[in-house]
Amino acid sequence: MSSKVPYVKHNNGTQIQSIGLGTYTSLGGDCERATLHAIDAGYRHIDTAYFYENENEVGAAVQRKIAEGVIKREDIHITTKLWCHFHEPERVEYACRKTLQNFGLQYVDLYLMHWPYSYVYRGDNEMMPTDAKGEVELNDIDYLDTWRAMEKLVELGLTKSIGVSNFNSEQLTRLLANCKIKPIHNQIECHPALNQKKLIALCKKNDIVVTAYCPLGRPNPAEKTPNYIYDAKVQAIGDKYKKSTAQVVLRYLIEIGTIPLPKSSNPKRIEENFKIFDFQLDSEDHAVLDSYHTGERLIPMTHAIKSKNYPFNIEF
């Protein structure tokens, strides 16, 4: 098998590399170093967000690699996201332009709505506005109104494509029935403990690509969690292909129909996570990995449970 990284085609004709670098919690120069290293290692898909507060680091790394002649701007796909306090339609273009200023770029490749629910706006940097009781201040803006404002960003050339993140089946179906521009992605939490097979099937049917965040379930070596990274059964699969358990899990996520976004700032791991295109799992391997599914989320965002747009009150 060729170890060349395949690309996935979107419903609007654009394409994307079938693995990406996740950057959440990469700060203080770590994100810039990780992005530089990832580009050198062959990554052409970087995922960030306004909420991560590292768009400037991703932008600096990309510009450096363009200046060095390693890549051209059109070679690399940059995804970022609209945060919940910018959902009012009149704030959307402002938010996107602010993001572009952070990157130092003319456009992004994909702009996602980070969550279907929204917060009260108390300032650009008040990303989790709280009331006197310390509860997050929710707003009830309809995500369809936010989406219409995002569609204009494509017309303005500020982003090539738009998509969503953390949308459930009902929200996605409602959006598809009411949009001019179809979302190209739904980015969701996905790993063996939450394999999202039903939501992936719905997205596939509607020609929407699924990207998987927390694909390795945030490994904790001290506690040996999650079990699918540290279990002997998965280690045995890894041994069979001369791969690590992380590589086995990432391969599984690709084979069930997602683009995984493993986050790392460790150069060795960044490279390792990328080397998953020279082997294939068999049905027995899949049965082992399927057995870890519990449906439990790492990111339940329970502070937003009172929002009518909270996405996790239904099965998928």
Side-chain angles (χ1 to χ4, degrees):
M1 264 176 87
S2 151
S3 57
K4 198 170 172 297
V5 182
Y7 276 68
V8 174
K9 213 165 178 154
H10 296 131
N11 61 41
N12 64 358
T14 59
Q15 53 172 19
I16 194 169
Q17 205 175 44
S18 51
I19 185 165
L21 178 75
T23 60
Y24 183 51
T25 70
S26 273
L27 291 163
D30 271 0
C31 179
E32 188 176 344
R33 283 187 292 275
T35 306
L36 289 167
H37 193 78
I39 293 169
D40 286 340
Y43 286 78
R44 297 292 179 264
H45 170 194
I46 313 290
D47 182 87
T48 182
Y50 183 82
F51 182 70
Y52 304 169
E53 298 183 281
N54 58 15
E55 291 171 323
N56 57 330
E57 293 193 35
V58 170
V62 166
Q63 288 178 75
R64 188 170 140 191
K65 287 296 159 191
I66 291 171
E68 287 174 9
V70 177
I71 50 167
K72 296 193 194 75
R73 172 63 187 94
E74 58 272 24
D75 296 336
I76 191 152
H77 176 107
I78 297 169
T79 296
T80 192
K81 310 175 191 85
L82 177 80
W83 188 242
C84 311
H85 65 332
F86 284 137
H87 275 215
E88 279 146 323
E90 62 276 13
R91 290 193 203 280
V92 171
E93 185 186 330
Y94 167 81
C96 185
R97 289 188 186 276
K98 194 173 162 73
T99 269
L100 291 174
Q101 213 176 334
N102 290 344
F103 282 120
L105 296 171
Q106 270 17 88
Y107 69 90
V108 287
D109 298 276
L110 176 57
Y111 200 46
L112 301 179
M113 195 184 315
H114 207 145
W115 292 91
Y117 53 77
S118 56
Y119 302 154
V120 171
Y121 177 81
R122 297 264 180 246
D124 291 359
N125 302 320
E126 284 278 322
M127 287 194 268
M128 300 290 272
T130 47
D131 61 19
K133 287 188 282 188
E135 286 183 19
V136 173
E137 294 182 286
L138 297 164
N139 217 335
D140 61 357
I141 296 154
D142 190 336
Y143 52 81
L144 291 183
D145 295 332
T146 309
W147 185 258
R148 287 183 192 114
M150 288 174 67
E151 290 177 327
K152 291 192 184 119
L153 304 177
V154 179
E155 289 158 27
L156 291 167
L158 302 179
T159 182
K160 300 272 183 207
S161 307
I162 49 177
V164 294
S165 181
N166 300 298
F167 270 49
N168 66 29
S169 60
E170 290 171 4
Q171 291 164 333
L172 211 49
T173 304
R174 181 170 174 251
L175 178 61
L176 287 166
N178 290 284
C179 63
K180 266 197 312 191
I181 300 176
K182 257 175 89 160
I184 65 164
H185 277 204
N186 186 17
Q187 184 176 130
I188 55 178
E189 179 182 339
C190 185
H191 40 73
L194 181 71
N195 66 34
Q196 297 276 21
K197 287 192 180 184
K198 289 180 178 172
L199 191 50
I200 292 167
L202 177 79
C203 289
K204 199 174 173 173
K205 197 176 120 202
N206 289 288
D207 208 6
I208 294 167
V209 169
V210 172
T211 40
Y213 71 79
C214 292
L216 302 173
R218 299 197 167 164
N220 182 331
E223 291 178 17
K224 295 261 187 281
T225 57
N227 51 1
Y228 49 81
I229 294 288
Y230 296 99
D231 265 14
K233 282 186 292 188
V234 185
Q235 271 170 337
I237 296 171
D239 293 344
K240 186 164 69 166
Y241 302 107
K242 298 187 171 51
K243 295 286 175 184
S244 69
T245 54
Q247 288 171 313
V248 167
V249 168
L250 294 172
R251 182 72 212 169
Y252 167 76
L253 292 173
I254 281 178
E255 291 183 11
I256 65 169
T258 78
I259 295 179
L261 303 169
K263 180 255 153 181
S264 183
S265 43
N266 173 320
K268 193 174 140 298
R269 285 226 184 83
I270 288 171
E271 288 173 38
E272 183 188 285
N273 292 340
F274 198 67
K275 292 177 180 162
I276 54 171
F277 299 99
D278 55 355
F279 74 110
Q280 250 172 327
L281 302 173
D282 61 31
S283 56
E284 285 166 23
D285 303 331
H286 272 270
V288 170
L289 288 153
D290 286 345
S291 74
Y292 293 99
H293 177 75
T294 61
E296 200 178 327
R297 293 177 184 279
L298 292 166
I299 318 288
M301 293 304 252
T302 44
H303 69 264
I305 210 154
K306 290 178 184 160
S307 167
K308 67 173 196 286
N309 295 321
Y310 180 73
F312 306 142
N313 285 329
I314 60 171
E315 189 203 344
F316 72 97

